[in-house]
Amino acid sequence: MYSLNSALRVDTPRLDSAEALNAYRENLIAGQDPNQTLVVVCHGTGCMANGSNRVTAAFQNAIEGADIKAKVMPGIKTTGCQGFCSRGPLVLIRPQGLFYQRVKEKDVEEIIQRTLIEGQPVERLLYKDPQTGKRIHTEQEIPFYKLQERVVLHNIGKIDPTDITDAIAAGAYRALAKALSGMTLEQVVSEVEQSGLRGRGGAGFPTGRKWRSAMAAIEKKGRPVYVVVNGDEGDPGAFMDRTIMEGDPHSVLEGLILGAYALGAEQGYLYVRAEYPLAIQHLEIAMAQARELGLLGENILNSGFSFDARINRGAGAFVCGESTALFTSIEGKPGNPRPKYTRSVEEGLWGRPTILNNVETWANVPLIIDKGGDWYAGLGVPHSTGTKVFSLVGKVNNVGLVEVPMGVPVSHIVEAIGGGVPGGAPFKAVQTGGPSGGCIPYHLKETPVDFDSLTKAGSMMGSGAMIVMDDSDCVVDVARYFLRFLEEESCGKCLPCRLGLTRMREMLDAFSKGVGTERDIEDLISLSQAIQDGALCALGSSAPNPVLTTINYFRDEYRAHFSDHKCPAGVCKDLITFSIDPDACTGCRSCARQCPNNCISGEKKQPHVIDANQCIRCGICKETCKFDAVRVS
Amino acid sequence: MIQFTINDQQVEAQHGWTILEAAREHGIDIPTLCYHEAVAPSGACRLCMVELKDGNWSKLVASCIYPVAEGIHVYTETERVHNVRRWIFEMLLATCPASPEISALAERYGVTSTRFSAADPDRTCMVCGLCSRVCEEVVGLSAIATVDRGVYKRVGAPFSRPTDVCVACGCCLSVCPTGAMQSLFDTVRGIPATIMTQLTA
Ligand SMILES: Cc1cc2nc3c(=O)[nH]c(=O)nc-3n(C[C@H](O)[C@H](O)[C@H](O)COP(=O)(O)O)c2cc1C
Ligand code: SF4
Ligand code: SF4
Ligand code: SF4
Ligand code: FES
Ligand code: FES
């Protein structure tokens, strides 16, 4: 692996022209042997958490043992997140493309013997199709990958994100070379306009239009101007931007350099969430290597254009992702939203014209410049062009990162790619747009996933988190969860948000205890409207969305809480009781041993009973029972 | 001069004025809490919301910050405006039940009761931040700060420790719209020495 301080692997002078960069790339490609055996280990955050670095170390140790080296000479490569995190640690063997999942250190020896030496797959490590029960050999044949369209993510999982030569061989900085060797600033902005790209950070504002207004602002106010990456990703369940920054930092950097070129900016900022140390590290490495090659800094590729960027660690608050709060935070002040009605393209960072775009938005820019705005506009659907990356989490078989063209139905993502709910039941709803979004219920599962259709259904695209819920998720509980999250994250400046979110949450708390009336639901809707209309920033004004959509689609479930004192999903503790079905109970005693309140009694091999007065409704017995004898009602 | 309408009435304002300034100039009433001529507007209380309309398009903005613009149509008494006001007043009545100033203001706008229960019956401050802003912007000191953030936000001395920065000019007392600064004053300055001697005696 490449380290910050070491010199570039290949002896390279600073590249002094676009042609030199392209020649350098050709050279790198020519130096690669397409038939070389390569062990590719996923070093994304998910796989690392499951010990993929130990797997890599085991491969390294074993391969350095001389006898193997002599026979096959395999290379080892570590990559960013390959998307299928729920199956990690992942190991790919190229060029065959064999896909091994849940690989542990102890499997390494067998992989080396069976696959690297004998050329045979290790059957037990292959992915098993849950439908057919058949083992699948390669990545491309697995439905989770086969049904995706990886455009922004095309290099992630393929390149070593800490090695710029690997990225360049895979096409990085080709768009920059193209722009610098003949495109005017105007042409760069036009291509982005042509592409129809809309911001991926939540609001879906047309990127080309934003850049165009920035150009107009520069006419009026002159330079300096700034370009900024919003990498503050804070939605619960979202990890798209982290994956892009970790797995292909050059795509973000190249996009930013292109934006800087289009506007004549000399300084850029990458505002990255502090909880993403690996993303920060990989971006730092990428920037240092790009500087060495002359792709960043003074006089880029000898074109006369100079631009540099620096990383700002996020201040640790969700609200810092909001554009004006982000600017105040970069300026070194507490990251609170600004109350002013000004546009950041005119009055952004230090009051100067500024373009702020999301990580994924920036990562799309090199593709658009390289292949053309028209090509990009052909992906997806009109008004929502291109692809979108989603993080698929919750009650779904294939938890992971998914990229699809805009406009595919919800069902395509959740059922076809995600494999649906474990156990095969239909999903109940999908929360899109995180705490500012809303839910799409099962009966609307054919809703196209694009900006406008999701908004029409009462939800929103948001940044791309998709949380799948099933019958064991209570909508009141989910709405409370998001409100509590935003209550904690509110900056507290304006009254509708600071006071209103707490009051809304208290009303939901009451429902979860069986207290409430129809009037309360109406009040919730009306208070939501007041917060939407009155809050100072979009954190507050979008906060009521989860409540409003769940009331809209699941009003009966709300009602059941206070009319029948029942939580149909069996979640709200005050409204459920645990009991043991005497016909199913085998008297194994495992629940009685686990119950923290010691309130399960019974003789061995005889049906057990729960003392309902003592039960604290923790649910441990239900999880423990192997015979499914514990009932919730 | 900029020409526009408020409640369909033609009005004029100078460039750079806010909607609130123009409305007050023309005798049109808009409730405010966190606004004071002496300091820059902060847009915190949201009582001054008004509706901008243009054909089918409409949007609520805070009039104390929104700059006037040629040809806009401003409405101060629409259903959406009333809805925001009513809920803010209802929440304020429960947040600062001990402030007669708040009850009087709410009553002026027709809100006399609240559906919410009061968490703290003695509370008066609603953290509009006027006191700390006047101290910083007018007096030139920072003896008062808002501490904590989000729903826990409070007013106190910086770092919650009594401060000797305060010169007892009383500006904060005079701008405070709820009367809360009367009692918070001591937490900012520390309990006065005379009382301390009485307490320890
Ligand atoms: C409370 C709040 C949090 C936000 N967090 C993020 C974030 O983490 N990342 C992001 O790209 N945009 C975030 N946004 C949206 C930004 O304000 C802004 O619209 C976006 O960065 C613009 O880039 P885009 O046009 O490329 O989407 C947030 C907005 C709000 C109101
Ligand atoms: S809406 Fe919430 S986060 Fe935004 S300014 Fe108001 S209090 Fe702060
Ligand atoms: S829910 Fe918890 S407390 Fe109640 S019986 Fe089961 S294990 Fe015991
Ligand atoms: S003490 Fe008065 S002026 Fe200061 S924040 Fe509280 S209510 Fe506002
Ligand atoms: S971290 Fe390895 S697949 Fe996501
Ligand atoms: S007076 Fe305008 S927000 Fe308080």
Side-chain angles (χ1 to χ4, degrees), chain A residues 317-319 336 339-341 486-504 506-507 519-520 522-531 533-537, chain B residues 33 41-47 49 59-63 65-67 80-81 83-88 90-92 94-95 115-119 123 126-128 148-153:
Chain A
F318 177 69
V319 77
N336 290 337
K340 285 197 200 150
Y341 291 97
L486 292 172
E487 239 183 309
E488 290 299 320
E489 296 297 339
S490 160
C491 83
K493 177 166 182 121
C494 74
L495 293 183
C497 178
R498 167 155 49 85
L499 303 181
L501 300 189
T502 303
R503 292 305 182 180
M504 286 182 73
E506 284 171 359
M507 286 158 92
R519 168 78 201 283
D520 290 335
E522 292 307 323
D523 277 358
L524 258 181
I525 296 173
S526 157
L527 174 56
S528 292
Q529 174 84 49
I531 297 172
D533 279 341
L536 189 156
C537 86
Chain B
L33 252 183
S42 84
C45 76
R46 315 308 276 180
L47 272 176
M49 300 304 285
K59 171 177 153 189
L60 268 67
V61 298
S63 63
I65 302 172
Y66 200 89
R80 275 168 81 187
V81 169
N83 189 52
V84 175
R85 262 186 220 166
R86 176 175 69 92
W87 281 110
I88 293 178
E90 282 208 28
M91 294 191 291
L92 278 176
T95 305
R115 63 152 288 149
F116 304 112
S117 53
R123 182 160 168 186
M126 44 83 191
V127 205
C128 66
D148 264 346
R149 52 189 285 278
V151 295
Y152 311 105
K153 201 167 174 141

Side-chain angles (χ1 to χ4, degrees), chain A residues 179-449:
Chain A
L180 290 185
S181 57
M183 287 175 84
T184 61
L185 314 191
E186 166 61 33
Q187 279 170 329
V188 174
V189 176
S190 293
E191 285 301 335
V192 176
E193 277 176 328
Q194 268 306 313
S195 73
L197 175 66
R198 292 171 68 171
R200 302 302 196 235
F205 191 85
T207 309
R209 205 195 299 164
K210 188 185 277 186
W211 292 22
R212 178 69 66 197
S213 341
M215 282 189 121
I218 294 167
E219 296 260 301
K220 266 202 302 198
K221 300 179 69 170
R223 298 196 166 83
V225 297
Y226 300 104
V227 285
V228 182
V229 178
N230 191 339
D232 198 45
E233 186 171 64
D235 285 7
F239 53 96
M240 301 79 52
D241 295 347
R242 185 190 74 201
T243 300
I244 295 174
M245 292 185 282
E246 283 178 6
D248 190 5
H250 293 287
S251 66
V252 184
L253 195 57
E254 186 182 1
L256 189 68
I257 301 171
L258 286 164
Y261 174 69
L263 294 177
E266 291 181 354
Q267 181 65 48
Y269 296 85
L270 298 109
Y271 191 87
V272 186
R273 197 176 163 177
E275 291 90 334
Y276 286 176
L278 197 61
I280 292 174
Q281 191 198 8
H282 286 188
L283 284 167
E284 268 167 358
I285 294 173
M287 283 161 57
Q289 295 182 349
R291 274 191 209 104
E292 265 183 75
L293 285 179
L295 299 167
L296 183 68
E298 284 293 313
N299 198 9
I300 293 174
L301 291 177
N302 222 15
S303 63
F305 162 60
S306 298
F307 169 76
D308 213 332
R310 52 170 294 184
I311 295 175
N312 281 71
R313 269 161 217 263
F318 177 69
V319 77
C320 289
E322 194 272 340
S323 49
T324 61
L326 186 145
F327 296 143
T328 36
S329 179
I330 292 181
E331 290 166 9
K333 291 172 272 185
N336 290 337
R338 286 181 194 160
K340 285 197 200 150
Y341 291 97
T342 48
R343 298 186 311 153
S344 57
V345 288
E346 288 172 7
E347 210 171 302
L349 201 52
W350 288 297
R352 302 300 310 168
T354 303
I355 295 184
L356 171 71
N357 278 121
N358 162 264
V359 167
E360 189 182 333
T361 314
W362 284 117
N364 271 298
V365 171
L367 296 163
I368 291 167
I369 300 303
D370 187 32
K371 301 190 182 171
D374 287 334
W375 164 81
Y376 193 86
L379 298 169
V381 290
H383 306 297
S384 291
T385 58
T387 59
K388 177 79 193 88
V389 183
F390 293 98
S391 59
L392 196 57
V393 298
K395 305 288 171 49
V396 61
N397 272 308
N398 303 334
V399 168
L401 207 67
V402 171
E403 182 175 355
V404 289
M406 291 273 192
V408 302
V410 173
S411 61
H412 180 76
I413 300 175
V414 176
E415 294 176 336
I417 296 175
V421 172
F427 67 85
K428 176 173 179 174
V430 180
Q431 176 80 17
T432 67
S436 346
C439 70
I440 307 286
Y442 184 74
H443 74 268
L444 295 180
K445 68 175 181 152
E446 297 313 319
T447 305
V449 178

Side-chain angles (χ1 to χ4, degrees), chain B residues 124-132 144 146 155 172 175-182 184:
Chain B
T124 47
C125 170
M126 44 83 191
V127 205
C128 66
L130 259 182
C131 49
S132 68
I144 312 173
T146 49
V155 158
C172 53
V175 296
C176 175
T178 65
M181 205 60 222
Q182 297 290 352
L184 283 167

